[in-house]
Amino acid sequence: MCSQAGMIGTSRPTHYHILFDENELNPDDLQELVHSLSYVYQRSTTAISVVAPIYYAHLAASQAATFIKFEESETSSSQQEIAAPGTVPVPELPILHENVRNSMFFC
């Protein structure tokens, strides 16, 4: 599907693969849904090539990776993380403020 106009150059189509359709959408409804979701990304005033939830998931994963790398660089050698033998220690995520705890936010 190519939901955006090629304003500057060549537009790249995005290929979607349906693994399980629990909503039982027909192909036309699914195409309309994907096209509509390409316009709801808050950082763009035009259509984007991939639906907004994918971009938001990418941003969240990128921020989590940045946070984990930042925490690893701040951890002093005197602190020891408790982990079971054979597992990888995972730093604890920060506590969010009550106002943003139940919402998505991106910097």
Side-chain angles (χ1 to χ4, degrees):
M1 176 159 186
C2 191
S3 58
Q4 81 280 12
M7 295 179 198
I8 297 174
T10 305
S11 296
R12 294 183 330 175
T14 304
H15 300 275
Y16 295 94
H17 298 275
I18 310 297
L19 299 180
F20 179 71
D21 184 13
E22 63 186 17
N23 294 317
E24 299 177 1
L25 295 172
N26 64 33
D28 291 334
D29 290 340
L30 188 62
Q31 183 176 2
E32 184 177 338
L33 174 67
V34 169
H35 185 262
S36 297
L37 284 174
S38 69
Y39 283 92
V40 297
Y41 187 60
Q42 291 184 351
R43 292 183 174 187
S44 177
T45 57
T46 61
I48 56 175
S49 60
V50 181
V51 294
I54 293 174
Y55 270 116
Y56 290 133
H58 179 72
L59 283 173
S62 176
Q63 286 184 352
T66 302
F67 170 76
I68 290 172
K69 287 178 188 174
F70 179 73
E71 286 292 318
E72 286 175 355
S73 67
E74 280 193 347
T75 304
S76 65
S77 60
S78 64
Q79 288 182 328
Q80 301 247 341
E81 295 184 32
I82 301 172
T87 62
V88 177
V90 178
E92 190 173 325
L93 294 175
I95 297 172
L96 297 176
H97 190 272
E98 189 70 33
N99 294 341
V100 295
R101 192 169 289 165
N102 295 322
S103 65
M104 291 178 54
F105 63 96
F106 299 97
C107 298

XYZ file of all heavy atoms in Angstrom:
835
model
N 0.844 -1.169 0.000
C 0.000 0.000 0.000
C 0.895 1.238 0.000
O 1.888 1.292 0.701
C -0.893 -0.016 1.232
C -1.731 1.200 1.348
S -3.122 0.892 2.398
C -3.961 2.400 2.164
N 0.521 2.207 -0.772
C 1.263 3.459 -0.829
C 0.289 4.573 -0.459
O -0.465 5.057 -1.291
C 1.831 3.655 -2.230
S 3.009 4.990 -2.316
N 0.286 4.972 0.803
C -0.723 5.904 1.289
C -0.324 7.367 1.178
O -1.151 8.241 1.319
C -1.063 5.583 2.741
O 0.103 5.646 3.528
N 0.960 7.642 0.935
C 1.397 9.041 0.874
C 1.716 9.423 -0.567
O 2.067 8.579 -1.373
C 2.600 9.291 1.793
C 3.941 8.886 1.246
C 4.240 7.410 1.360
O 3.381 6.614 1.653
N 5.466 7.033 1.104
N 1.604 10.714 -0.841
C 1.926 11.223 -2.179
C 3.438 11.386 -2.311
O 4.116 11.727 -1.346
C 1.237 12.564 -2.399
N 3.952 11.169 -3.496
C 5.387 11.318 -3.740
C 5.722 12.762 -4.051
O 5.893 13.123 -5.206
N 5.829 13.605 -3.029
C 6.041 15.036 -3.244
C 7.465 15.352 -3.694
O 7.669 16.131 -4.604
C 5.744 15.810 -1.969
C 4.316 15.739 -1.543
S 4.101 16.663 -0.041
C 2.554 16.010 0.516
N 8.453 14.754 -3.056
C 9.847 15.089 -3.341
C 10.486 14.070 -4.283
O 11.258 14.410 -5.157
C 10.652 15.193 -2.032
C 10.094 16.329 -1.182
C 12.122 15.410 -2.306
C 10.711 16.426 0.193
N 10.165 12.834 -4.085
C 10.800 11.785 -4.878
C 9.873 10.612 -5.061
O 8.659 10.755 -5.123
N 10.452 9.452 -5.095
C 9.682 8.235 -5.292
C 9.106 7.764 -3.971
O 9.810 7.679 -2.975
C 10.587 7.137 -5.880
O 11.181 7.634 -7.068
C 9.802 5.894 -6.178
N 7.833 7.459 -3.954
C 7.200 6.913 -2.757
C 7.475 5.420 -2.670
O 7.479 4.725 -3.677
C 5.690 7.141 -2.794
O 5.411 8.502 -2.759
N 7.714 4.960 -1.458
C 7.954 3.530 -1.252
C 6.696 2.895 -0.688
O 6.205 3.312 0.362
C 9.103 3.324 -0.268
C 10.428 3.791 -0.792
C 11.533 3.502 0.172
N 11.075 3.510 1.565
C 11.813 3.189 2.593
N 13.050 2.821 2.405
N 11.344 3.239 3.809
N 6.161 1.888 -1.335
C 4.978 1.221 -0.784
C 5.349 0.379 0.441
O 6.483 -0.071 0.584
C 4.499 0.330 -1.925
C 5.692 0.124 -2.768
C 6.562 1.337 -2.615
N 4.399 0.221 1.319
C 4.575 -0.595 2.516
C 3.758 -1.873 2.347
O 2.603 -1.819 1.942
C 4.112 0.171 3.764
O 4.828 1.396 3.835
C 4.353 -0.626 5.023
N 4.359 -2.990 2.661
C 3.679 -4.279 2.544
C 3.240 -4.734 3.925
O 4.040 -4.781 4.856
C 4.608 -5.328 1.921
C 5.064 -4.956 0.551
N 4.320 -5.238 -0.581
C 6.165 -4.308 0.124
C 4.954 -4.779 -1.623
N 6.082 -4.212 -1.233
N 1.971 -5.048 4.056
C 1.419 -5.523 5.321
C 1.051 -6.995 5.171
O 0.516 -7.410 4.148
C 0.169 -4.721 5.707
C 0.445 -3.269 5.985
C 0.307 -2.306 4.990
C 0.871 -2.865 7.248
C 0.572 -0.975 5.256
C 1.136 -1.537 7.517
C 0.988 -0.600 6.515
O 1.251 0.720 6.776
N 1.332 -7.765 6.212
C 0.969 -9.183 6.242
C 0.029 -9.397 7.420
O 0.374 -9.079 8.553
C 2.210 -10.068 6.403
C 3.174 -9.932 5.284
N 3.058 -10.654 4.116
C 4.261 -9.139 5.119
C 4.026 -10.318 3.298
N 4.780 -9.400 3.882
N -1.146 -9.925 7.156
C -2.134 -10.197 8.193
C -1.857 -11.593 8.747
O -1.955 -12.589 8.029
C -3.575 -10.146 7.633
C -3.822 -8.889 6.826
C -4.575 -10.313 8.769
C -3.719 -7.607 7.560
N -1.510 -11.652 10.030
C -1.262 -12.954 10.653
C -2.549 -13.557 11.195
O -2.785 -14.758 11.066
C -0.239 -12.807 11.775
C 1.130 -12.296 11.340
C 2.053 -12.183 12.552
C 1.738 -13.188 10.286
N -3.365 -12.717 11.819
C -4.626 -13.200 12.369
C -5.598 -12.029 12.385
O -5.310 -10.994 12.980
C -4.419 -13.746 13.791
C -5.683 -14.240 14.428
C -6.283 -15.409 13.988
C -6.285 -13.544 15.451
C -7.444 -15.865 14.562
C -7.444 -13.997 16.043
C -8.032 -15.160 15.595
N -6.718 -12.162 11.737
C -7.706 -11.089 11.642
C -8.889 -11.420 12.534
O -9.872 -12.005 12.080
C -8.134 -10.904 10.188
C -9.083 -9.734 10.010
O -9.224 -8.928 10.944
O -9.689 -9.634 8.926
N -8.810 -11.024 13.798
C -9.898 -11.324 14.727
C -11.118 -10.438 14.489
O -12.209 -10.745 14.959
C -9.426 -11.198 16.176
C -8.979 -9.819 16.562
C -8.397 -9.781 17.954
O -8.050 -10.827 18.510
O -8.289 -8.674 18.483
N -10.955 -9.339 13.748
C -12.079 -8.459 13.434
C -12.779 -8.855 12.143
O -13.817 -8.285 11.808
C -11.599 -7.010 13.319
C -11.107 -6.499 14.645
O -11.713 -6.724 15.668
N -9.976 -5.816 14.617
N -12.211 -9.801 11.417
C -12.784 -10.311 10.168
C -13.089 -9.185 9.185
O -14.182 -9.093 8.630
C -14.019 -11.156 10.455
C -13.719 -12.372 11.312
C -14.941 -13.175 11.662
O -16.062 -12.818 11.229
O -14.785 -14.175 12.365
N -12.105 -8.312 8.963
C -12.268 -7.214 8.015
C -12.097 -7.723 6.591
O -11.241 -8.560 6.325
C -11.225 -6.131 8.282
C -11.329 -5.389 9.609
C -10.117 -4.495 9.797
C -12.597 -4.579 9.667
N -12.898 -7.188 5.687
C -12.685 -7.544 4.287
C -11.550 -6.674 3.759
O -11.159 -5.684 4.397
C -13.981 -7.404 3.470
C -14.489 -5.984 3.406
O -13.706 -5.040 3.390
N -15.795 -5.827 3.363
N -10.962 -7.021 2.630
C -9.797 -6.281 2.127
C -10.042 -4.784 1.943
O -9.163 -3.972 2.209
C -9.492 -6.961 0.796
C -10.008 -8.337 0.961
C -11.235 -8.202 1.811
N -11.228 -4.384 1.498
C -11.509 -2.958 1.304
C -11.532 -2.204 2.628
O -10.995 -1.096 2.724
C -12.839 -2.766 0.572
C -12.788 -3.234 -0.869
O -11.676 -3.241 -1.448
O -13.844 -3.593 -1.417
N -12.145 -2.794 3.647
C -12.179 -2.143 4.962
C -10.785 -2.052 5.570
O -10.433 -1.054 6.192
C -13.108 -2.899 5.919
C -14.571 -2.768 5.541
O -14.910 -1.809 4.801
O -15.371 -3.619 5.975
N -10.006 -3.085 5.383
C -8.644 -3.090 5.901
C -7.793 -2.023 5.209
O -7.035 -1.302 5.856
C -8.019 -4.474 5.717
C -6.673 -4.686 6.368
C -6.785 -4.533 7.870
C -6.139 -6.047 6.016
N -7.950 -1.884 3.915
C -7.218 -0.861 3.173
C -7.635 0.532 3.640
O -6.797 1.418 3.815
C -7.461 -1.007 1.683
C -6.675 -0.013 0.849
C -6.865 -0.236 -0.637
O -7.615 -1.110 -1.060
N -6.200 0.560 -1.437
N -8.914 0.744 3.884
C -9.389 2.041 4.375
C -8.856 2.336 5.774
O -8.468 3.464 6.082
C -10.917 2.068 4.379
C -11.501 3.407 4.770
C -13.019 3.420 4.703
O -13.605 2.585 3.995
O -13.607 4.273 5.389
N -8.796 1.320 6.634
C -8.260 1.490 7.983
C -6.786 1.882 7.936
O -6.360 2.834 8.609
C -8.435 0.200 8.787
C -7.789 0.181 10.172
C -8.487 1.168 11.105
C -7.801 -1.216 10.741
N -6.002 1.180 7.130
C -4.574 1.484 7.011
C -4.375 2.888 6.458
O -3.547 3.661 6.943
C -3.867 0.421 6.136
C -2.464 0.861 5.776
C -3.840 -0.913 6.853
N -5.148 3.249 5.460
C -5.040 4.582 4.873
C -5.400 5.653 5.904
O -4.710 6.671 6.028
C -5.935 4.695 3.640
C -5.779 5.989 2.928
N -6.645 7.040 3.107
C -4.835 6.419 2.047
C -6.254 8.054 2.367
N -5.158 7.708 1.711
N -6.442 5.439 6.678
C -6.844 6.413 7.698
C -5.796 6.532 8.798
O -5.514 7.637 9.275
C -8.188 6.013 8.318
O -9.192 6.035 7.341
N -5.199 5.408 9.201
C -4.181 5.447 10.256
C -2.888 6.110 9.806
O -2.082 6.527 10.628
C -3.883 4.033 10.762
C -4.930 3.420 11.674
C -4.575 1.969 11.987
C -5.071 4.214 12.953
N -2.695 6.245 8.515
C -1.479 6.910 8.037
C -1.569 8.429 8.183
O -0.584 9.127 7.999
C -1.183 6.535 6.585
O -2.152 7.095 5.726
N -2.746 8.948 8.542
C -2.930 10.391 8.717
C -2.977 10.830 10.174
O -3.140 12.015 10.440
C -4.228 10.848 8.034
C -4.114 10.955 6.541
C -4.445 9.884 5.731
C -3.654 12.116 5.950
C -4.339 9.973 4.355
C -3.534 12.221 4.570
C -3.884 11.146 3.786
O -3.760 11.241 2.433
N -2.868 9.930 11.150
C -3.047 10.306 12.552
C -1.739 10.446 13.327
O -1.752 10.589 14.544
C -3.990 9.319 13.296
C -5.377 9.349 12.694
C -3.430 7.916 13.285
N -0.609 10.432 12.638
C 0.679 10.605 13.307
C 0.843 12.072 13.674
O 0.760 12.956 12.826
C 1.803 10.140 12.373
C 3.165 10.103 12.998
C 3.421 9.294 14.096
C 4.204 10.860 12.487
C 4.676 9.244 14.664
C 5.470 10.816 13.039
C 5.693 10.004 14.133
O 6.944 9.953 14.701
N 1.083 12.368 14.967
C 1.072 13.738 15.455
C 2.271 14.563 15.020
O 2.218 15.781 15.064
C 0.974 13.748 16.973
C -0.366 13.282 17.456
C -0.495 13.380 18.957
O 0.466 13.638 19.666
N -1.693 13.191 19.447
N 3.342 13.941 14.597
C 4.533 14.691 14.196
C 4.530 15.064 12.712
O 5.484 15.639 12.224
C 5.795 13.886 14.498
C 6.037 13.717 15.970
C 7.326 12.983 16.186
N 7.650 12.924 17.613
C 8.782 12.462 18.079
N 9.698 12.009 17.259
N 8.997 12.432 19.374
N 3.490 14.725 12.003
C 3.432 15.006 10.573
C 2.081 15.596 10.217
O 1.048 15.194 10.764
C 3.655 13.712 9.788
O 3.524 13.955 8.410
N 2.076 16.530 9.290
C 0.815 17.128 8.835
C 0.296 16.456 7.577
O -0.769 16.803 7.091
C 1.014 18.631 8.547
O 2.048 18.778 7.578
C 1.381 19.368 9.822
N 1.045 15.510 7.033
C 0.626 14.775 5.848
C 0.615 13.280 6.157
O 0.968 12.862 7.258
C 1.593 15.040 4.674
O 2.899 14.602 5.047
C 1.632 16.523 4.314
N 0.250 12.495 5.193
C 0.240 11.039 5.382
C 1.672 10.527 5.520
O 2.611 11.094 4.970
C -0.437 10.368 4.196
N 1.827 9.462 6.268
C 3.134 8.829 6.453
C 3.115 7.457 5.793
O 2.053 6.932 5.474
C 3.501 8.722 7.950
C 2.414 7.986 8.723
C 3.745 10.098 8.533
C 2.747 7.738 10.170
N 4.282 6.894 5.574
C 4.349 5.642 4.814
C 3.883 4.429 5.610
O 3.379 3.470 5.036
C 5.775 5.407 4.314
O 6.663 5.320 5.411
N 4.046 4.442 6.917
C 3.652 3.329 7.773
C 2.624 3.849 8.777
O 2.691 5.006 9.182
C 4.878 2.755 8.525
C 4.491 1.580 9.391
C 5.949 2.343 7.550
N 1.685 3.022 9.188
C 0.634 3.483 10.092
C 1.227 3.998 11.405
O 2.280 3.545 11.855
C -0.411 2.385 10.361
C -1.172 2.050 9.094
C 0.212 1.154 10.947
N 0.538 4.950 12.017
C 1.029 5.635 13.213
C 1.358 4.695 14.379
O 2.375 4.902 15.047
C 0.030 6.693 13.646
N 0.555 3.673 14.699
C 0.923 2.801 15.815
C 2.301 2.154 15.661
O 3.001 1.930 16.645
C -0.184 1.744 15.836
C -1.362 2.440 15.253
C -0.793 3.340 14.193
N 2.719 1.873 14.424
C 4.047 1.298 14.210
C 5.122 2.328 14.547
O 6.121 2.015 15.190
C 4.190 0.783 12.770
C 3.264 -0.405 12.567
C 5.628 0.403 12.459
C 3.201 -0.914 11.145
N 4.924 3.580 14.126
C 5.883 4.632 14.458
C 5.952 4.847 15.964
O 7.024 5.021 16.530
C 5.511 5.948 13.771
C 6.131 6.113 12.412
C 5.348 6.186 11.280
C 7.514 6.204 12.260
C 5.908 6.345 10.029
C 8.089 6.362 11.016
C 7.284 6.429 9.903
O 7.853 6.583 8.672
N 4.794 4.850 16.632
C 4.788 5.044 18.084
C 5.490 3.890 18.798
O 6.213 4.101 19.775
C 3.365 5.211 18.600
C 2.728 6.520 18.194
C 1.452 6.565 17.674
C 3.419 7.721 18.332
C 0.877 7.759 17.304
C 2.847 8.924 17.965
C 1.571 8.939 17.451
O 1.005 10.126 17.090
N 5.290 2.657 18.338
C 5.978 1.513 18.934
C 7.482 1.627 18.725
O 8.273 1.324 19.627
C 5.445 0.210 18.334
N 7.887 2.093 17.554
C 9.313 2.289 17.272
C 9.903 3.357 18.194
O 11.006 3.192 18.722
C 9.495 2.671 15.804
C 10.914 2.913 15.421
N 11.845 1.908 15.295
C 11.580 4.057 15.159
C 13.010 2.418 14.963
N 12.876 3.730 14.872
N 9.170 4.458 18.403
C 9.638 5.505 19.312
C 9.766 4.993 20.746
O 10.738 5.288 21.442
C 8.682 6.700 19.277
C 8.784 7.620 18.085
C 7.649 8.641 18.113
C 10.118 8.336 18.073
N 8.773 4.239 21.200
C 8.815 3.702 22.563
C 9.993 2.745 22.741
O 10.696 2.801 23.758
C 7.497 2.990 22.889
N 10.236 1.882 21.771
C 11.363 0.951 21.850
C 12.689 1.703 21.830
O 13.624 1.358 22.556
C 11.294 -0.057 20.705
N 12.769 2.734 21.006
C 13.991 3.534 20.924
C 14.268 4.253 22.239
O 15.405 4.305 22.712
C 13.867 4.535 19.781
O 14.983 5.373 19.739
N 13.212 4.806 22.851
C 13.390 5.488 24.135
C 13.773 4.507 25.236
O 14.597 4.824 26.096
C 12.123 6.246 24.519
C 11.932 7.498 23.711
C 10.722 8.291 24.150
O 9.930 7.836 24.958
N 10.582 9.482 23.606
N 13.188 3.320 25.228
C 13.551 2.314 26.227
C 15.000 1.899 26.065
O 15.730 1.749 27.051
C 12.624 1.107 26.120
N 15.445 1.713 24.829
C 16.838 1.336 24.595
C 17.781 2.446 25.052
O 18.819 2.174 25.659
C 17.054 1.036 23.112
N 17.414 3.695 24.779
C 18.232 4.824 25.217
C 18.288 4.887 26.736
O 19.344 5.122 27.320
C 17.678 6.140 24.653
O 17.650 6.052 23.234
C 18.516 7.329 25.080
N 17.153 4.657 27.387
C 17.105 4.673 28.846
C 17.991 3.579 29.430
O 18.758 3.826 30.364
C 15.668 4.494 29.336
C 15.574 4.266 30.812
C 15.734 5.322 31.694
C 15.353 3.006 31.315
C 15.676 5.114 33.055
C 15.286 2.787 32.674
C 15.448 3.849 33.551
N 17.915 2.386 28.875
C 18.714 1.277 29.395
C 20.206 1.553 29.204
O 21.006 1.322 30.104
C 18.275 -0.049 28.747
C 16.892 -0.433 29.255
C 19.275 -1.155 29.025
C 16.266 -1.609 28.556
N 20.598 2.096 28.044
C 22.001 2.433 27.808
C 22.471 3.525 28.767
O 23.579 3.485 29.274
C 22.202 2.893 26.361
C 22.127 1.788 25.357
C 22.291 2.323 23.954
C 22.034 1.245 22.932
N 22.047 1.788 21.560
N 21.596 4.520 29.019
C 21.931 5.605 29.940
C 22.114 5.069 31.355
O 23.056 5.422 32.046
C 20.838 6.672 29.908
C 21.082 7.804 30.848
C 22.056 8.753 30.575
C 20.333 7.937 32.013
C 22.281 9.812 31.429
C 20.556 8.988 32.876
C 21.531 9.925 32.592
N 21.217 4.179 31.769
C 21.310 3.592 33.108
C 22.578 2.753 33.238
O 23.220 2.756 34.275
C 20.073 2.742 33.407
C 18.835 3.552 33.687
C 18.935 4.324 34.985
O 19.422 3.777 35.981
O 18.522 5.496 34.987
N 22.945 2.025 32.186
C 24.151 1.204 32.240
C 25.391 2.076 32.370
O 26.335 1.731 33.065
C 24.255 0.338 30.989
C 23.279 -0.823 30.959
C 23.326 -1.583 29.653
O 24.047 -1.167 28.731
O 22.622 -2.596 29.551
N 25.389 3.238 31.709
C 26.555 4.111 31.790
C 26.659 4.793 33.145
O 27.740 5.164 33.576
C 26.506 5.162 30.675
O 25.445 6.054 30.884
N 25.530 4.980 33.848
C 25.542 5.621 35.164
C 25.816 4.647 36.296
O 26.168 5.045 37.389
C 24.200 6.317 35.424
C 24.075 7.647 34.761
C 22.874 8.415 35.293
O 22.033 7.822 35.981
O 22.802 9.608 35.023
N 25.612 3.370 36.071
C 25.781 2.377 37.130
C 27.250 2.307 37.529
O 28.124 2.105 36.707
C 25.306 0.989 36.644
O 23.965 1.103 36.205
C 25.398 -0.027 37.760
N 27.495 2.500 38.798
C 28.879 2.431 39.263
C 29.279 0.975 39.472
O 28.456 0.087 39.589
C 29.034 3.206 40.567
O 28.285 2.582 41.585
N 30.570 0.744 39.537
C 31.056 -0.624 39.687
C 30.765 -1.182 41.076
O 30.779 -2.382 41.274
C 32.557 -0.672 39.402
O 33.239 0.181 40.308
N 30.459 -0.300 42.037
C 30.184 -0.781 43.390
C 28.770 -1.332 43.520
O 28.496 -2.107 44.428
C 30.387 0.345 44.406
O 29.459 1.384 44.167
N 27.846 -0.933 42.617
C 26.479 -1.438 42.697
C 26.404 -2.793 42.022
O 26.934 -2.993 40.943
C 25.501 -0.485 42.010
C 25.260 0.798 42.767
C 24.238 1.654 42.029
O 24.163 1.625 40.816
N 23.478 2.404 42.786
N 25.738 -3.710 42.663
C 25.565 -5.049 42.114
C 24.079 -5.279 41.894
O 23.281 -5.043 42.780
C 26.109 -6.095 43.093
C 27.560 -5.903 43.411
C 28.386 -7.031 42.860
O 27.864 -8.074 42.563
N 29.674 -6.813 42.716
N 23.721 -5.729 40.704
C 22.332 -6.050 40.417
C 22.099 -7.512 40.755
O 22.917 -8.362 40.460
C 22.011 -5.781 38.950
C 22.109 -4.311 38.606
C 21.687 -4.055 37.169
O 20.806 -4.784 36.678
O 22.235 -3.141 36.574
N 20.975 -7.787 41.378
C 20.644 -9.145 41.779
C 19.975 -9.846 40.608
O 18.997 -9.373 40.070
C 19.713 -9.147 43.010
C 20.407 -8.431 44.164
C 19.301 -10.548 43.372
C 19.524 -8.195 45.350
N 20.512 -10.972 40.214
C 19.941 -11.752 39.120
C 20.214 -13.224 39.391
O 21.204 -13.585 40.005
C 20.550 -11.349 37.785
N 19.299 -14.044 38.931
C 19.479 -15.478 39.087
C 20.606 -15.933 38.169
O 20.871 -15.314 37.147
C 18.184 -16.200 38.731
N 21.300 -17.007 38.530
C 22.377 -17.503 37.672
C 21.861 -17.834 36.271
O 20.813 -18.429 36.115
C 22.848 -18.770 38.388
C 22.356 -18.652 39.780
C 21.130 -17.795 39.733
N 22.595 -17.386 35.260
C 22.216 -17.663 33.885
C 21.243 -16.670 33.284
O 20.811 -16.845 32.161
N 20.857 -15.624 34.028
C 19.943 -14.621 33.490
C 20.664 -13.298 33.323
O 21.715 -13.071 33.917
C 18.726 -14.407 34.414
O 19.186 -13.928 35.670
C 17.938 -15.684 34.590
N 20.090 -12.432 32.540
C 20.661 -11.112 32.294
C 19.966 -10.112 33.213
O 18.737 -10.033 33.227
C 20.463 -10.698 30.821
C 20.985 -9.304 30.571
C 21.120 -11.703 29.906
N 20.712 -9.339 34.011
C 20.067 -8.360 34.884
C 19.445 -7.233 34.057
O 20.036 -6.751 33.097
C 21.212 -7.846 35.754
C 22.451 -8.128 34.991
C 22.163 -9.340 34.156
N 18.242 -6.845 34.421
C 17.518 -5.777 33.739
C 17.298 -4.641 34.723
O 16.780 -4.865 35.816
C 16.159 -6.285 33.201
C 15.379 -5.169 32.535
C 16.362 -7.438 32.240
N 17.707 -3.416 34.374
C 17.510 -2.304 35.299
C 16.026 -2.001 35.488
O 15.225 -2.189 34.575
C 18.230 -1.134 34.632
C 18.315 -1.499 33.202
C 18.350 -2.993 33.144
N 15.677 -1.536 36.659
C 14.292 -1.200 36.968
C 13.924 0.113 36.285
O 14.702 1.063 36.269
C 14.126 -1.061 38.480
C 12.689 -0.948 38.905
C 12.554 -0.986 40.417
O 13.322 -1.707 41.061
O 11.686 -0.271 40.926
N 12.737 0.150 35.690
C 12.281 1.360 35.011
C 11.900 2.427 36.036
O 11.520 2.111 37.158
C 11.088 1.044 34.111
C 11.386 0.136 32.927
C 10.090 -0.203 32.186
C 12.375 0.781 31.986
N 11.980 3.712 35.656
C 11.649 4.775 36.605
C 10.161 4.798 36.917
O 9.333 4.343 36.125
C 12.068 6.048 35.871
C 11.956 5.688 34.435
C 12.352 4.243 34.362
N 9.804 5.340 38.060
C 8.406 5.483 38.448
C 7.850 6.720 37.749
O 8.429 7.799 37.824
C 8.279 5.609 39.977
C 8.793 4.329 40.637
C 6.842 5.885 40.377
C 8.886 4.413 42.136
N 6.740 6.552 37.056
C 6.140 7.652 36.320
C 5.233 8.481 37.220
O 4.646 7.968 38.167
C 5.328 7.127 35.139
C 6.110 6.386 34.063
C 5.164 5.852 33.008
C 7.145 7.290 33.431
N 5.107 9.753 36.891
C 4.212 10.640 37.620
C 2.772 10.185 37.398
O 2.423 9.654 36.346
C 4.393 12.087 37.134
C 3.700 13.080 37.988
N 2.392 13.445 37.801
C 4.149 13.788 39.054
C 2.048 14.329 38.703
N 3.102 14.563 39.479
N 1.932 10.405 38.376
C 0.538 9.956 38.332
C -0.205 10.495 37.106
O -1.060 9.817 36.539
C -0.182 10.400 39.609
C -1.554 9.810 39.786
C -1.535 8.324 40.091
O -0.595 7.862 40.763
O -2.460 7.634 39.647
N 0.122 11.721 36.647
C -0.599 12.339 35.525
C -0.332 11.658 34.187
O -1.153 11.729 33.284
C -0.222 13.816 35.400
C -0.699 14.625 36.578
O -1.579 14.208 37.320
N -0.113 15.780 36.768
N 0.813 11.011 34.028
C 1.158 10.392 32.746
C 1.232 8.868 32.826
O 1.577 8.226 31.843
C 2.492 10.933 32.197
C 2.395 12.387 31.868
C 3.629 10.651 33.142
N 0.902 8.310 33.935
C 1.032 6.862 34.136
C 0.159 6.057 33.170
O 0.547 4.996 32.706
C 0.684 6.505 35.573
C 1.062 5.080 35.931
C 0.953 4.832 37.393
N 2.035 5.568 38.052
C 2.079 5.813 39.348
N 1.124 5.391 40.117
N 3.078 6.468 39.868
N -1.025 6.541 32.835
C -1.961 5.798 31.982
C -2.079 6.387 30.588
O -3.098 6.225 29.930
C -3.332 5.730 32.646
C -3.301 4.936 33.924
O -2.608 3.938 34.012
N -4.029 5.380 34.917
N -1.071 7.101 30.113
C -1.138 7.677 28.776
C 0.187 7.445 28.060
O 1.207 7.215 28.693
C -1.442 9.165 28.841
O -0.380 9.861 29.456
N 0.159 7.554 26.738
C 1.374 7.452 25.953
C 2.002 8.824 25.854
O 1.303 9.821 25.682
C 1.060 6.947 24.549
C 0.616 5.501 24.527
S 0.178 4.924 22.874
C 1.609 5.320 21.932
N 3.309 8.919 25.995
C 3.983 10.196 25.847
C 5.315 9.961 25.161
O 5.934 8.937 25.338
C 4.192 10.883 27.200
C 5.075 10.119 28.140
C 6.428 10.405 28.240
C 4.562 9.097 28.927
C 7.244 9.694 29.093
C 5.382 8.380 29.786
C 6.723 8.684 29.875
N 5.716 10.924 24.342
C 6.956 10.822 23.602
C 7.644 12.161 23.635
O 7.010 13.204 23.577
C 6.700 10.414 22.140
C 6.031 9.083 22.026
C 4.660 9.005 21.864
C 6.755 7.930 22.124
C 4.045 7.777 21.789
C 6.147 6.706 22.039
C 4.783 6.619 21.865
N 8.958 12.148 23.732
C 9.726 13.390 23.731
C 10.063 13.807 22.319
O 10.193 13.028 21.462
C 11.023 13.212 24.518
S 10.716 12.811 26.239
